[in-house]
Amino acid sequence: QVLSRAQTDTDPAAKVMLGLIVNICHKDFQIWWKHYRKTDCKDSRDLSYPLLFFLLNGKRSLIDNISRSILQLYKTSLDKDMDLSCARKLMSMSGMLVAYLDLMEKNGSLNKPETLKMRLAAEIEEVFRKSTLTADEIYMELNLLRPSWLSMLVSRLHLAGQNNMEISSIVDVEKHIDTLVPACNPSTLAFIDNFMVKLCSTLNLHTILRTVWKREEADEEVHSLFAGMNRLKKTEHKSKIIKLRSDVNVNKELVVQDINAIAKYHNQIKEDSTGFMNKLCFKMTDSNHF
């Protein structure tokens, strides 16, 4: 009821109450994520859930409940050009929650079709598809959508549905880029651009590439090039799956392929004739200069 009343411009009290509820849920979610969420490092803990999970009526029709409440608030706020801060926070928490639930069901992969992550991304993609936003507004909203993997999935599903392009990696974008960019409308370009940016952000492609490059150049061990990258050498990568801290899994082979593809542009072995990929695939003389 608070969510529905907050979607109008005539009930300021409902908006204040919504802000209070969102702040409580956000704080509760932060504490749960850091200290009570069941992970590989804390596998002895009992399975627990944040407050938002229970407000959405638990696992029973979770995506439907998110769609009827949080997504409806997000859609209305977009259409009426209202403050989106509460809607964005709720969307972000919902994304992280469904990733956790998928992981508990052994469905952590970003490429599995019938997961809660994919269903949520499909619902959000429908909001963008039916909206009247301009290309610049779409790009801005996609960039503000968190977590990064959720924004990436929304872009990927849109490109698959509207343009029949099955794109899941930088290598896939390379295959289509020469024929794609000249024929695309600005909105489609916004989705492609966002997909590439969020893919690099989710998989830390540039970070891994420059860390490995720096280590190959250095005579001594490089310890602090990027936070967390010292684990690259310590961890044995026998598994075909890489588990990310965001509770999603990715295929290691695809990560390596994308890193090798970006490296070709860095090393000036390959060039993008359209100029579209230059923001991510640019020339570099060494790991520090570009």
Side-chain angles (χ1 to χ4, degrees), residues 92-105:
S92 298
M93 289 187 285
S94 299
M96 296 171 73
L97 175 61
V98 298
Y100 170 76
L101 295 176
D102 276 341
L103 190 65
M104 292 298 101
E105 298 293 331

Side-chain angles (χ1 to χ4, degrees), residues 210-223:
R210 293 180 68 183
T211 299
V212 173
W213 195 351
K214 187 68 176 179
R215 284 179 174 166
E216 290 178 350
E217 288 180 339
D219 294 331
E220 299 178 359
E221 182 71 17
V222 178
H223 294 287

